[in-house]
Amino acid sequence: MYDFTYHRPSSLEEAAKLLAGAEDGKILAGGHTLLPTLKQRLAQPSDLIDLSGIKELKGISEAGGAVVVGAMTPHGDVADSSVVKARIPALAHLASDIGDAQVRHRGTIGGSIANADPAADYPAAVVGLGATVKTNKREIAGGDFFKGLFETALDENELVVSVSFPVPEKAGYAKFANPASRYPIVGVMVAKTAGGVRVAVTGAGASAFRWTEAEQALSANWSADAIKNLTHGPDGLNSDIHASAEYRAHLIGVMARRALAAAG
Amino acid sequence: MADSGIGSRTTRREDKRFLTGKGRYTDDINRHGQAYAYFLRAPVAHARVTGIDTSAAETAPGVVAVFTGKDMEADGVGSLPCGWVVTDKHGQPHKAPPHFPLVRDAVRYVGDHVAMVIAESAAEAKDAAELIQVDYEELPAVVDPMQARSSQQIHEAAPENLCYDWELGDKAAADAAFAKAAHVTKLDLINNRLVPNAMEPRAAIGEWDSGTDEYTIYSTSQNPHLLRLILCAFVLGLPESRVRVIAPDVGGGFGSKIFAYAEETACTWASKKIGGRPVKWTAERGEAFLSDCHGRDHVTHCELALDADGRFLGMKVDTTANMGAYLSSFATSVPSYLYATLLAGQYTTPVVYANVKAVFTNTAPVDAYRGAGRPEATYVVERLVEIAARETGRDPAELRRLNFIKPDQFPYQTPVALMYDIGDYEPSLDKALSMIDYKGFGARKAASEARGKLRGIGLSAYIEACGIAPSAVVGSLGAGVGLWESATVRFNATGTVAVMTGAHSHGQGHETTFAQLVSEKLGIPYENVEIVHGDTGRIPMGMGTYGSRSLAVGGSAIVKACDKIIAKGKKIAAHLMEASEGDVEFANGQFTVAGTDKSKAMAEIAFTAYVPHNYPEGVEPGLDETAFYDPLNFTYPSGVHIAEVEIDPDTGITTIADWVAVDDFGNVINPMIVEGQVHGGIAQGVGQALLEHTVYDRDSGQLLTGSYMDYAMPRADNFPTFRVETTTSACTHNPLGVKGCGEAGAIASPAALMNAITDALGVEIDMPATPEKVWRAAQAKLRVAAE
Ligand SMILES: Cc1cc2nc3c(=O)[nH]c(=O)nc-3n(C[C@H](O)[C@H](O)[C@H](O)COP(=O)(O)OP(=O)(O)OC[C@H]3O[C@@H](n4cnc5c(N)ncnc54)[C@H](O)[C@@H]3O)c2cc1C
């Protein structure tokens, strides 16, 4: 790890100012992705701005038909939250299956989506539930947030403040975990929302994407039969030592059907 | 004593310190004035090194010194030796190219040791290493053993990258047997390369004392004396009497900590170079992936010939074994003498011929890993037998039974050099079949199928050879060391006992098992026995722990030392009880005189030995005996494992539905520890069969599975509850009748699991049976079924 200057601001404004003022500042949330990167000397930020001192960033609330999760809320809190479990059980389930207990106690939703790992779980929920990402500057629709491999719509000095998930009528999440890392090789969120049916896929492509054929089929007929024989093509999907594009394409169908079954 | 003697499930005394964070591992040790080493490693798989500029690193903050291979060369540092010379089929010794601790002219695998930086902190050493400029002239790299012989030569001394072309058995007789066969089963197998992944990464502190000219090495070694011998006699040219090696608590080894590595060698040498400051190095996990010796990596074609009744007529095996870039300490013995000699398995196969080609590639060195050669052999034999049963329409269990060596055939001379002293295979088979309800499998399979799942069952009837021995025999086969073990049993005046053993515990629970043994042998309380190991300054010369040898060889040495204690005790007791020595008997801690009520307790005799006021003439004071034990033969644990799996054809996920293991380890001292060893072994075998895969990029030679993000280790939720039982045919040639249990699980399990998976799928796939491979095979099967 190279040297850096450590800051622990107590307000969002201060954090934004520190970030803007730093030569090459980086936000530190749970550190579960950032710290290993630093230890392996793959990044050399001048400043680390730790968000853990900003109380307003942590916590879960319900407002206007949506569940709002603060950026610094760890996965374990989402998994255990009575609000999330009651209103969006699929989201609680998704969070409960991220990493292991240690990871769930440190890793945060803000860090996860800002990092935009193609194999992260949360993007399936952000896209699949039609969430809204609130930053210190604006609101970004979930579907517009992920821009590619480790790329988001966030500007240089923009911070994730919270993620607002509209409560769906029904939703289910199914994940096929990488046997080594246990990140999703393919994860699919299927939801019936006020804005229509959404099927979002993570792990399979450069970033989370919607499977429109499945959405159309389920909009017409919300039942297992509707997507029983539906297949996703392998074009453009990830291919690596763990899974070929063809296998991932197949798993998208399987996981979508399982997510649908879980949604009920 | 009943709850701590032989046969009792005594809880492990070492666990208190391990589970409460009080274990003392090499990295926990910090020496006064210690500096830290960091090794700059090769970023490319194969290149000529045309220049190394260390000047910027030398002046970086905190740097004490920077060394390269040239510095070692100037100092006369030698090559890390391979301690087993295999003679090839033309009578020539294997090719043993030099293996310098720091490279001199070329790097040969990603992770090879280019330079050593010593600094005030590990971070400063690492910072400075980035300032070293190395000029690499890249060469083509080869990682696939099957491509090795036609690829760029890696060592001047090894044309075609061939280390040896070796054979065992009678080829003409095998060909003749095959000519008579009613059926021949043929199989191509890959035994996948594994990274050992001990929980504790390797670490070392080298310390030279300028006052006494003595060295102390703290190291994560499974065999401190062996490390001392190799470093002193071959690499650094130091007198053994001035070198002390301490291997304190060691967190797992699985073979990977047997070997003498570059890092501890360099730390020891460098400590003197920098004037005597201790030099410490602790591997990061990424370094462990790159530079710990890997295991397995065989490509095999094998054939089994059967007559019309299903009797095995002969077996032919052709294996290419990957040695990696250099020969590690015992690498050459693993795919030869520890492999081909086991190819008879539990069967009466009259003729076996094996040809093994060991090759160099641009990958980490490969050496012994839990089982070392025997898992590879069992995989060949038990996969072949299973497929032969399927091809000839026989029940796999019954085909095995038909060909078993029968109890009255022991001692049994196999066609591949070994002489099995004893075994009784049917009881293990029968018990395992009954435990898993073999007859009920059809109904379970139908139930799985009704749920859209595929179900399979697979057996593995393994044999292995432990306690590599006797020394004279292994010597004649090329071993550079003797394979005996030592023990000192030392009474204190107050009746407590210290046992100094040459075996080394790095997870096996010796402090418990050996204390149980001594407590029972000498009839003294278990609590009064202390086990000392892992320090050449405290123990007699010993050979350490590997090859499931500790109890069979080390335990036998302890028994011999106890016998000497008892013999001497009899002399003292006879004097005290005014009886003749021949009339004194010893049992349950008491010396008695036959036909009288006279008795003396062991503790009293010990006290008398150290306070010899009333003492027999001509007997030395003290009660302190050392014994060395050189076994007469290997021991031959055997058993049957049966795995039952359910496969989800939609995803390719394999779930292990059930696992039974019935092992014959001879007599058992602590059944709980034995079961734990079996559990751990199965876990590693399941890891190999289902999850673990070491992948090097074919073009660049980069290790693609260099962290837990990509290298899948088995976890608790990958397993069912193992059901483990034993049968007993006691070893005939060691005093305890024990055989060894440390590796059996890893030896038996890959074949059982792959037999179960391929039974469910109906087609062959190689390990690891990853979900994608299984899914593809399942889809093919379902397509065929639909047509
Ligand atoms: C062993 C292990 C297993 C894991 N398994 C899974 C898994 O199964 N599924 C899964 O989805 N994830 C998994 N993760 C990832 C983990 O859950 C975290 O989501 C991830 O590490 C990022 O969150 P963090 O809070 O640790 O962020 P950090 O590591 O602190 O930061 C990550 C990045 O996001 C930026 N950042 C952080 N917070 C903000 C913010 N509020 N605004 C803007 N930028 C920000 C940082 O600057 C940094 O670039 C695993 C991680 C580990 C170590």
Side-chain angles (χ1 to χ4, degrees):
Chain A
M1 202 179 281
Y2 301 107
D3 280 350
F4 52 81
T5 309
Y6 174 81
H7 310 272
R8 191 163 182 266
S10 53
S11 76
L12 203 52
E13 295 67 43
E14 201 189 334
K17 234 168 76 194
L18 283 166
L19 192 57
E23 192 191 321
D24 180 20
K26 266 269 177 207
I27 297 291
L28 174 66
H32 262 58
T33 293
L34 186 54
L35 294 187
T37 312
L38 298 185
K39 281 187 181 169
Q40 289 174 55
R41 301 182 167 225
L42 298 173
Q44 191 170 9
S46 61
D47 297 74
L48 279 197
I49 299 131
D50 181 353
L51 299 185
S52 65
I54 308 172
K55 287 199 183 63
E56 60 192 285
L57 288 183
K58 191 170 172 180
I60 297 163
S61 61
E62 198 178 351
V67 172
V68 182
V69 182
M72 285 297 286
T73 312
H75 315 323
D77 287 10
V78 175
D80 292 345
S81 156
S82 49
V83 173
V84 180
K85 283 202 265 193
R87 310 295 282 145
I88 321 179
L91 183 61
H93 165 68
L94 176 148
S96 75
D97 209 20
I98 295 176
D100 50 35
Q102 289 90 329
V103 171
R104 291 192 291 275
H105 275 87
R106 291 293 308 174
T108 66
I109 190 168
S112 176
I113 67 168
N115 189 50
D117 188 319
D121 287 285
Y122 268 129
V126 171
V127 175
L129 296 172
T132 302
V133 180
K134 188 169 168 237
T135 75
N136 57 335
K137 296 184 177 170
R138 57 186 167 142
E139 292 192 344
I140 306 170
D144 300 332
F145 186 80
F146 300 100
K147 294 291 182 199
L149 209 59
F150 297 102
E151 256 181 67
T152 68
L154 291 173
D155 289 340
E156 202 144 294
N157 296 320
E158 196 170 11
L159 301 182
V160 175
V161 173
S162 64
V163 186
S164 170
F165 295 96
V167 175
E169 194 182 313
K170 288 174 172 182
Y173 180 67
K175 161 179 178 175
F176 185 91
N178 179 319
S181 71
R182 302 238 171 147
Y183 277 70
I185 278 180
V186 169
V188 179
M189 177 70 82
V190 174
K192 198 175 197 176
T193 73
V197 171
R198 300 174 78 97
V199 177
V201 180
T202 192
S207 63
F209 60 87
R210 290 171 67 175
W211 186 14
T212 44
E213 285 95 333
E215 292 182 349
Q216 282 157 10
L218 288 172
S219 302
N221 174 16
W222 179 265
S223 80
D225 276 348
I227 55 170
K228 198 169 81 188
N229 296 316
L230 205 59
T231 53
H232 192 288
D235 289 351
L237 298 188
N238 302 336
S239 192
D240 54 34
I241 57 170
H242 302 289
S244 66
E246 193 187 352
Y247 182 48
R248 277 192 165 87
H250 164 77
L251 288 174
I252 291 173
V254 178
M255 292 301 124
R257 289 188 280 280
R258 292 187 183 177
L260 178 69
Chain B
M1 219 173 298
D3 59 356
S4 56
I6 290 178
S8 91
R9 310 176 74 89
T10 308
T11 53
R12 303 199 325 168
R13 55 165 61 159
E14 45 272 83
D15 283 345
K16 182 179 174 196
R17 69 176 192 278
F18 294 157
L19 298 178
T20 58
K22 299 289 183 189
R24 194 158 177 265
Y25 299 89
T26 299
D27 190 54
D28 293 324
I29 295 167
N30 291 299
R31 303 293 300 165
H32 182 70
Q34 134 191 314
Y36 296 82
Y38 179 76
F39 290 88
L40 179 69
R41 293 175 185 280
V44 294
H46 198 190
R48 241 173 245 122
V49 176
T50 53
I52 305 181
D53 179 358
T54 59
S55 54
E58 279 161 29
T59 56
V63 169
V64 177
V66 181
F67 295 117
T68 67
K70 293 263 179 288
D71 299 304
M72 284 194 154
E73 188 173 6
D75 240 24
V77 173
S79 158
L80 294 163
C82 176
W84 195 307
V85 179
V86 169
T87 302
D88 75 8
K89 68 181 188 191
H90 309 295
Q92 297 301 309
H94 71 231
K95 301 290 191 302
H99 180 194
F100 297 114
L102 296 177
V103 304
R104 293 191 181 166
D105 55 349
V107 294
R108 296 184 174 87
Y109 70 102
V110 174
D112 209 349
H113 309 72
V114 177
M116 177 192 204
V117 182
I118 302 170
E120 298 298 337
S121 71
E124 284 169 321
K126 210 167 171 178
D127 282 342
E130 289 187 0
L131 303 174
I132 299 175
Q133 299 289 332
V134 187
D135 297 322
Y136 294 109
E137 206 174 275
E138 278 204 63
L139 298 166
V142 60
V143 300
D144 178 352
M146 299 309 278
Q147 302 296 321
R149 296 187 68 181
S150 55
S151 297
Q152 174 80 35
Q153 192 168 329
I154 299 168
H155 295 281
E156 220 176 279
E160 285 185 43
N161 292 322
L162 185 65
C163 175
Y164 58 71
D165 181 350
W166 173 89
E167 63 185 358
L168 184 68
D170 186 337
K171 185 166 190 299
D175 288 337
F178 273 74
K180 285 186 302 186
H183 181 84
V184 175
T185 291
K186 300 179 180 181
L187 199 56
D188 289 296
L189 298 171
I190 291 176
N191 206 294
N192 44 324
R193 175 186 277 246
L194 304 174
V195 178
N197 281 301
M199 200 182 290
E200 180 206 21
R202 288 189 294 118
I205 305 171
E207 182 174 346
W208 174 70
D209 185 325
S210 60
T212 61
D213 195 19
E214 289 176 331
Y215 291 82
T216 306
I217 303 168
Y218 299 85
S219 166
T220 49
S221 174
Q222 300 180 206
N223 29 236
H225 274 105
L226 212 54
L227 177 60
R228 189 179 75 168
L229 180 67
I230 293 174
L231 291 192
C232 290
F234 297 97
V235 194
L236 297 176
L238 305 171
E240 278 179 277
S241 50
R242 290 243 178 82
V243 179
R244 176 177 177 187
V245 177
I246 300 173
D249 283 333
V250 174
F254 313 114
S256 70
K257 293 174 181 167
I258 298 172
F259 324 119
Y261 284 93
E263 292 88 354
E264 57 257 31
T265 310
C267 287
T268 306
W269 167 80
S271 175
K272 183 170 182 181
K273 293 294 283 183
I274 62 168
R277 289 182 68 180
V279 177
K280 180 176 194 171
W281 168 78
T282 304
E284 295 178 3
R285 185 56 68 181
E287 291 184 279
F289 270 99
L290 288 177
S291 70
D292 286 1
C293 285
H294 295 174
R296 320 282 191 252
D297 208 345
H298 286 194
V299 179
T300 294
H301 174 78
C302 50
E303 301 186 4
L304 177 68
L306 298 88
D307 72 11
D309 298 327
R311 282 182 209 283
F312 304 158
L313 298 175
M315 185 185 286
K316 290 197 269 194
V317 177
D318 185 78
T319 293
T320 300
N322 195 343
M323 296 280 94
Y326 302 97
L327 294 183
S328 168
S329 306
F330 295 100
T332 49
S333 65
V334 177
S336 53
Y337 291 106
L338 299 181
Y339 167 66
T341 52
L342 273 303
L343 289 170
Q346 300 188 356
Y347 310 111
T348 53
T349 317
V351 43
V352 176
Y353 172 74
N355 178 213
V356 180
K357 294 170 197 78
V359 297
F360 293 104
T361 63
N362 298 107
T363 61
V366 178
D367 205 327
Y369 169 68
R370 202 170 191 170
R374 291 101 84 210
E376 295 91 317
T378 299
Y379 193 63
V380 167
V381 175
E382 288 304 293
R383 298 290 345 270
L384 263 179
V385 169
E386 189 85 14
I387 309 279
R390 285 178 202 159
E391 287 177 353
T392 60
R394 291 186 166 82
D395 181 304
E398 295 315 311
L399 181 63
R400 287 178 169 88
R401 190 191 303 278
L402 177 73
N403 286 283
F404 276 163
I405 302 163
K406 302 294 179 298
D408 61 7
Q409 291 178 279
F410 293 96
Y412 182 83
Q413 176 63 55
T414 72
V416 274
L418 297 179
M419 165 86 84
Y420 301 165
D421 65 324
I422 193 166
D424 191 1
Y425 306 138
E426 283 196 62
S428 295
L429 177 66
D430 288 333
K431 199 164 180 174
L433 292 174
S434 123
M435 281 166 72
I436 203 141
D437 181 18
Y438 192 63
K439 292 202 185 76
F441 174 72
R444 297 194 294 280
K445 186 179 170 81
S448 291
E449 278 169 2
R451 286 184 285 109
K453 303 283 162 59
L454 307 173
R455 202 172 184 100
I457 192 163
L459 282 78
S460 173
Y462 74 95
I463 187 147
E464 65 138 329
C466 299
I468 314 173
S471 295
V473 171
V474 294
S476 74
L477 300 179
V481 291
L483 288 163
W484 41 266
E485 198 45 271
S486 66
T488 295
V489 174
R490 177 177 300 157
F491 265 94
N492 297 309
T494 51
T496 56
V497 168
V499 179
M500 275 59 75
T501 169
H504 183 275
S505 188
H506 32 279
Q508 293 87 345
H510 294 170
E511 288 166 42
T512 303
T513 307
F514 290 177
Q516 284 180 257
L517 168 60
V518 171
S519 156
E520 173 120 358
K521 269 304 275 184
L522 298 180
I524 56 172
Y526 167 78
E527 297 72 28
N528 287 2
V529 185
E530 184 208 348
I531 305 299
V532 179
H533 64 94
D535 181 348
T536 62
R538 294 180 74 192
I539 61 172
M541 173 140 184
M543 301 310 291
T545 285
Y546 39 81
S548 304
R549 71 193 298 274
S550 297
L551 187 60
V553 190
S556 296
I558 292 175
V559 170
K560 280 190 70 182
C562 287
D563 287 342
K564 288 187 181 178
I565 291 276
I566 293 166
K568 183 167 181 181
K570 279 184 179 170
K571 287 192 177 35
I572 302 168
H575 175 81
L576 292 179
M577 296 189 286
E578 295 173 341
S580 87
E581 195 190 324
D583 291 338
V584 176
E585 289 169 357
F586 178 76
N588 302 320
Q590 300 288 327
F591 292 91
T592 53
V593 181
T596 74
D597 61 355
K598 289 182 183 174
S599 86
K600 290 281 170 198
M602 189 52 140
E604 223 177 323
I605 298 302
F607 184 79
T608 307
Y610 288 101
V611 188
H613 295 166
N614 175 16
Y615 207 63
E617 217 171 290
V619 176
E620 287 176 17
L623 200 54
D624 183 340
E625 296 289 348
T626 295
F628 287 75
Y629 177 76
D630 197 345
L632 298 170
N633 191 352
F634 289 81
T635 62
Y636 299 98
S638 62
V640 172
H641 286 222
I642 307 181
E644 197 165 314
V645 300
E646 191 176 78
I647 289 170
D648 177 354
D650 280 345
T651 58
I653 288 194
T654 299
T655 305
I656 303 174
D658 200 359
W659 196 291
V660 301
V662 181
D663 298 290
D664 179 354
F665 297 136
N667 295 328
V668 169
I669 299 216
N670 184 324
M672 182 201 70
I673 288 180
V674 166
E675 284 163 19
Q677 291 289 311
V678 174
H679 286 194
I682 297 172
Q684 277 175 306
V686 168
Q688 167 163 36
L690 221 45
L691 298 158
E692 297 182 47
H693 200 18
T694 310
V695 185
Y696 282 97
D697 184 81
R698 296 182 72 84
D699 298 321
S700 69
Q702 294 294 329
L703 180 61
L704 300 181
T705 52
S707 84
Y708 296 128
M709 292 297 283
D710 295 303
Y711 189 91
M713 288 296 283
R715 300 175 211 195
D717 64 0
N718 293 120
F719 307 112
T721 299
F722 304 127
R723 298 189 290 139
V724 176
E725 297 277 348
T726 53
T727 56
T728 305
S729 68
C731 171
T732 60
H733 57 78
N734 65 45
L736 289 164
V738 298
K739 295 181 178 175
C741 68
E743 295 160 292
I747 291 167
S749 55
L753 191 51
M754 292 309 289
N755 283 338
I757 290 171
T758 55
D759 177 45
L761 294 173
V763 291
E764 277 306 301
I765 56 170
D766 271 314
M767 299 189 289
T770 57
E772 178 162 2
K773 271 192 224 166
V774 172
W775 168 70
R776 286 184 185 281
Q779 293 310 307
K781 174 178 172 137
L782 294 178
R783 264 197 303 277
V784 171
E787 275 158 18

